[in-house]
Amino acid sequence: MHSNLLDKTAPLAAFIFRLDRIRILLWIIGLTFFTLIVPLSFMGLYGSQQERDVMAQTMVNPAMTAMVGPGDLANYTIGAMTAHQMLLMTAAVVGLMSILLVARHTRGDEEDGRLEMIRSLPTGRLSYLNATLVVITGTCVALTLINGLGLYALGIESMDLEGSLLYGVALGVTGLFFAGVTAIFAQLSESSRGTIGYSIAVLLIAYLVRAITDVSNESLSWISPLGWVTKAEVYSANNWWPIGLMFGASLLLFLTANYLNAIRDLDRGFLPSKPGRKYASSFLQSPIGLALRLQRTGLIAWAIGMFVLGASYGSVLGDLEAFFADNEMMMQLLQPAEGVTLTEQFIPMLMIVISLLATIPPVMAMNKLRGEEKKERIVHLLGRAVSRKKLLGSYLCIAIINGFVMISLAALGLWSAGTAVMEGGLSFAMIFGAALSYYPAMLVMISIAVFLIGVLPKFTNFIWFYVFYSFIVLYLGGLFQFSEWVGKMSPFGHVPQAPIEEFSIMTLMLLCMVAFVLFVIGFVGYNHRDIES
């Protein structure tokens, strides 16, 4: 055993970077593209201060504060608008990037046996963990400089060098913070699934706590690390110390992860899995039972998260009517449709966000099959009396039910919290009708995952780019004033926005038919293609 715990960290960091250089490049390009395109779009769409002030009026309501956080609405320049509407969301995506990259080379490599091989070489006990942290730190520094200097290079008057650098640093430090969170869970959990699941749960909880506290008591939003990002007040007050606080917390997380890694055994975690029963049940011996057991923890965590997400959005609806009643400009901007309250006009916007987030767990459940194949575990199942159709069908059944449960729980949370805080309550049928109208679009997303697994397995992860595209064009479509066809490129763009738009059963049936065709093609392809082994 080497006395130097960090021996060969630099060569290992170079090795990890070589493995992930394409992933890292794509993340940086994607995040930078959306960071830089937003202020340029705002320049074209809201050229005068009067237009920006009108936009600021539409953002002064509890629902929008819960979504994007507080902003400098009294001085709504292009810079303040960009920071208000994009910084928090982009920081959350950067956090997700760190979680996936760090989990892949900590618990993921340990689970697959690669770390044991590396430990057998002349390397330090803590070298691989710190090599991973070095790579993610370099990635965050690159992201900071490219985004910060890129924003300043746009030459927009209200986006000065200090504010631009603070914007970039806020993104980079958020990445470091969640890299530290993931590194700790890599020591606590015994699986990469658990590491990613727990880390994403922290990210979601941080967002939800910030959303609730920003509306109810803004001083309490200090509890959430994502609340520190909004406290920086980029392009207005330019507060550096909340970001410094996050950097200090990141260093503390890094040190804690190193300590935990130093005192635990390889292939073990501080949250050990419980020993299973001596004999598996007949259900567990079936393909669907095994698939469900492998995904059980993640499904439960997502189910709780979707209900809480819906409830957090529902909890702010009670303040909307009072806000509208006291704001003449908002009353003029939002003329109520016949038979629809002003609060219900916000339901479609909330449903787009909720339905797209609810699409993530069923697609993850479907893609789990491809993950098991790449780890060469599927061959063992197919070597028994299990057909490919039955195996693919098992994962598909889980994904379809998963999607229905997730969107239903989110709608239940939205309705229950909204009814509790609103004087007249919310219509149960209206909320569930609006939510379930997005279910056929979710089926299309699942069917695309099936198609890719069956026909183009190398491109399975393309589905995540499509989900992200759908989120951008639908969530930000109103701000960017995209052409209608841009939104129609996503299945979610075809869904009638109840209760504002008239319900169309034909559109939803066509989406179901598209999903069915892709399901069939995916099954045929999977039945005939080679299985990796």
Side-chain angles (χ1 to χ4, degrees):
M1 181 175 175
H2 291 265
S3 57
N4 187 354
L5 295 175
L6 300 176
D7 197 22
K8 304 296 183 184
T9 298
L12 286 173
F15 169 68
I16 291 171
F17 176 73
R18 181 172 176 79
L19 288 176
D20 273 2
R21 63 189 186 279
I22 303 299
R23 279 187 177 84
I24 290 172
L25 184 63
L26 290 175
W27 274 109
I28 291 177
I29 290 173
L31 288 164
T32 304
F33 173 77
F34 285 107
T35 298
L36 300 184
I37 200 70
V38 167
L40 291 175
S41 300
F42 285 164
M43 280 289 290
L45 297 172
Y46 310 102
S48 69
Q49 189 58 49
Q50 184 179 5
E51 291 174 318
R52 293 193 286 272
D53 288 340
V54 171
M55 171 55 68
Q57 287 292 324
T58 67
M59 304 298 287
V60 189
N61 66 77
M64 293 309 301
T65 301
M67 276 193 176
V68 299
D72 186 7
L73 302 178
N75 184 32
Y76 215 46
T77 60
I78 294 294
M81 183 185 290
T82 302
H84 180 215
Q85 298 185 22
M86 291 301 299
L87 179 56
L88 179 65
M89 289 293 183
T90 310
V93 176
V94 172
L96 179 62
M97 173 195 75
S98 291
I99 289 170
L100 296 177
L101 291 177
V102 172
R104 169 178 161 82
H105 289 295
T106 49
R107 181 55 70 172
D109 282 346
E110 186 171 344
E111 192 177 39
D112 292 339
R114 298 189 189 100
L115 189 54
E116 186 175 4
M117 295 173 58
I118 291 171
R119 285 274 190 93
S120 67
L121 300 172
T123 60
R125 183 182 181 90
L126 302 178
S127 298
Y128 203 68
L129 170 62
N130 283 280
T132 303
L133 295 177
V134 166
V135 171
I136 195 63
T137 300
T139 302
C140 291
V141 170
L143 191 68
T144 293
L145 295 175
I146 293 172
N147 282 267
L149 296 177
L151 286 169
Y152 179 64
L154 295 178
I156 298 173
E157 184 180 356
S158 58
M159 300 174 70
D160 59 355
L161 180 59
E162 183 186 6
S164 298
L165 289 177
L166 180 57
Y167 193 110
V169 170
L171 294 181
V173 174
T174 302
L176 291 179
F177 181 88
F178 285 100
V181 169
T182 310
I184 287 179
F185 281 121
Q187 316 311 314
L188 299 179
S189 175
E190 282 196 336
S191 68
S192 59
R193 292 196 314 275
T195 301
I196 294 173
Y198 289 130
S199 302
I200 290 179
V202 170
L203 178 62
L204 290 174
I205 290 169
Y207 178 82
L208 291 173
V209 168
R210 180 218 52 82
I212 294 168
T213 53
D214 275 346
V215 173
S216 59
N217 187 345
E218 197 174 330
S219 61
L220 292 178
S221 62
W222 284 103
I223 300 171
S224 167
L226 290 180
W228 304 347
V229 174
T230 60
K231 299 293 185 187
E233 298 182 39
V234 178
Y235 292 126
S236 52
N238 286 334
N239 298 323
W240 284 86
W241 66 273
I243 304 304
L245 177 64
M246 183 178 278
F247 180 73
S250 304
L251 290 179
L252 186 61
L253 291 172
F254 282 18
L255 292 173
T256 304
N258 271 275
Y259 172 73
L260 294 175
N261 194 26
I263 63 173
R264 74 172 177 87
D265 293 331
L266 193 65
D267 291 331
R268 291 290 182 267
F270 289 97
L271 301 174
S273 54
K274 297 178 182 178
R277 294 188 301 179
K278 189 173 183 179
Y279 299 103
S281 65
S282 56
F283 178 68
L284 185 57
Q285 294 180 48
S286 65
I288 191 170
L290 177 60
L292 193 59
R293 177 63 183 85
L294 291 173
Q295 303 178 48
R296 182 179 64 183
T297 304
L299 295 180
I300 294 172
W302 271 101
I304 295 171
M306 291 310 302
F307 179 84
V308 174
L309 177 70
S312 66
Y313 284 152
S315 65
V316 304
L317 293 179
D319 299 326
L320 286 179
E321 291 287 354
F323 166 76
F324 289 140
D326 298 333
N327 193 315
E328 291 185 13
M329 181 175 287
M330 282 297 294
M331 290 295 289
Q332 294 171 0
L333 287 171
L334 287 175
Q335 293 297 330
E338 187 176 349
V340 179
T341 66
L342 288 166
T343 300
E344 288 172 345
Q345 286 190 267
F346 275 86
I347 298 298
M349 180 178 63
L350 296 177
M351 282 303 170
I352 287 174
V353 177
I354 287 173
S355 63
L356 282 164
L357 288 174
T359 302
I360 295 174
V363 171
M364 287 176 65
M366 195 66 243
N367 281 357
K368 179 67 177 173
L369 177 60
R370 173 63 181 161
E372 293 293 297
E373 179 183 353
K374 288 196 289 187
K375 292 178 180 177
E376 301 184 5
R377 295 170 181 161
I378 294 298
V379 179
H380 302 296
L381 282 175
L382 296 177
R384 303 170 65 87
V386 176
S387 68
R388 295 189 184 194
K389 290 180 181 177
K390 187 174 183 180
L391 181 62
L392 181 59
S394 298
Y395 279 84
L396 178 58
C397 285
I398 292 173
I400 289 174
I401 296 171
N402 184 332
F404 182 81
V405 170
M406 295 301 165
I407 193 71
S408 299
L409 285 173
L412 182 62
L414 180 65
W415 171 79
S416 57
T419 299
V421 298
M422 290 182 65
E423 195 171 316
L426 276 175
S427 166
F428 182 86
M430 184 272 291
I431 293 294
F432 268 78
L436 294 181
S437 63
Y438 282 94
Y439 185 59
M442 296 173 67
L443 292 179
V444 173
M445 284 295 188
I446 297 170
S447 71
I448 294 172
V450 173
F451 171 82
L452 292 173
I453 291 171
V455 180
L456 300 168
K458 299 288 186 184
F459 298 93
T460 303
N461 287 329
F462 169 79
I463 187 65
W464 297 119
F465 290 101
Y466 196 37
V467 172
F468 185 61
Y469 168 84
S470 300
F471 180 82
I472 292 297
V473 299
L474 296 174
Y475 176 66
L476 299 177
L479 297 176
F480 292 161
Q481 298 179 12
F482 289 141
S483 300
E484 188 177 351
W485 67 267
V486 177
K488 296 293 186 184
M489 293 288 288
S490 166
F492 292 89
H494 294 271
V495 178
Q497 295 190 11
I500 304 302
E501 297 178 359
E502 188 176 346
F503 185 80
S504 173
I505 189 67
M506 183 58 68
T507 301
L508 303 184
M509 287 181 64
L510 286 173
L511 287 173
C512 290
M513 288 175 62
V514 170
F516 178 76
V517 170
L518 290 173
F519 285 146
V520 172
I521 296 173
F523 269 82
V524 172
Y526 191 72
N527 206 38
H528 288 87
R529 74 169 176 84
D530 293 335
I531 299 295
E532 286 188 14
S533 63

